[in-house]
Amino acid sequence: MKIAFLGLGNMGLPMARNLLKAGHEVVGFDVVAAQATRLAEAGGKTAAAAGDAVAGAEVVFTMLPAGQHVLEAYAGPGGILARCRPDALLVDCSTIAPATAREVAAAARARGVAMLDAPVSGGVGGAEGGTLTFMVGGAEADLARARPLLEKMGKNVFHAGAPGAGQVVKMCNNMLLGIQMAGTCEALRLGIAYGLDPARLSEIMGKSSGRNWALEVYNPCPGVMPGVPASRGYSGGFSTALMLKDLKLAAEGATATGTATPLGRMARDLYQAHADGGAAGKDFSSLFEDPAAAAALLAKLG
Ligand code: NAD
């Protein structure tokens, strides 16, 4: 298949490489030319502009930082909607607000072009290993077209519902993850304050009702678990900045729908204080080593 892939960053580049490995023709574009060069080194083609990349493509993937980049890339002058084939399938994998996803999908529909929102879970490791989970919003028939390609980049592909529904699932999942990570950091710090060994504490809680992904798979305490960001200075992984972005999206979603999410908002405030303290670029599990962020939130709550 002829595929265009726009946004070749931490996630997009390894995803596009997996499509190349599966034998597809991939034309890549990134506003940072060096990123596109890295795709060319893996056997892909590059284009000088987004419109040139999508012009002949049967399927267009985008993996961009945030909603404003997605709006600009699709609906901006000379963008994807202006240049894509009328029979193309457009798949946005970025994490953005459901309302923005619906807006772009409606603009695509107005031109008769099929579009899916397909945000992912699984991080850079999942993108490299082709084991991502895709949460897809849009028509089932369009997902059936995309599925063989998504299965080259992920091992779980779920239809969530109508346009924007993939983004709703992603928002709910990451709000819960942020809350779980914050709670896991608190529980570990409390046990350590009593002199307990964090590895033993984690092992016992992992076989008890406090068990969760942050504790068992992504332990935030350095030295408890090999191979996780906490055991390599909180480098790599999923940044505090991206978690903060997702918690802000969840808070906006809660306001838009009139849903009370006090824990989600507190997690957002914790991560805001953590980022303000200089940890924006560190993995989000670094909240563990920042009790000052927790103290700042307590002071704010009074
Ligand atoms: P990134 O910043 O590494 O990559 C984004 C890339 O998009 C950059 O290379 C940037 O130059 C490029 N870009 C920006 N505007 C563009 C445009 N108009 N046209 C073409 N390229 C453009 O970000 P990332 O970590 O790859 O994340 C991408 C998306 O995936 C985000 O929405 C993020 O929330 C989501 N996500 C990330 C992770 C993760 O662990 N990193 C996990 C799940 C979801």
Side-chain angles (χ1 to χ4, degrees), residues 19-65:
L19 292 172
L20 277 174
K21 265 190 230 157
H24 297 291
E25 186 183 321
V26 182
V27 183
F29 172 75
D30 194 293
V31 287
V32 177
Q35 290 302 115
T37 304
R38 293 177 69 194
L39 184 71
E41 285 162 7
K45 294 182 179 167
T46 61
D52 298 342
V54 306
E58 297 163 80
V59 181
V60 177
F61 283 98
T62 45
M63 193 48 161
L64 303 171

Side-chain angles (χ1 to χ4, degrees), residues 6-12 29-32 35 63-66 69 72-73 93-95 120 123-124 170 237-238 242 245-246:
L6 276 56
L8 300 164
N10 290 328
M11 297 292 289
F29 172 75
D30 194 293
V31 287
V32 177
Q35 290 302 115
M63 193 48 161
L64 303 171
H69 306 97
E72 188 194 311
C93 299
S94 327
T95 301
V120 304
V124 176
K170 173 73 182 170
F238 184 57
L242 283 180
K245 173 193 135 183
D246 292 354

Side-chain angles (χ1 to χ4, degrees), residues 77-94:
I80 297 168
L81 292 177
R83 296 285 306 274
C84 72
R85 283 167 42 164
D87 62 347
L89 173 61
L90 313 177
V91 186
D92 179 39
C93 299
S94 327

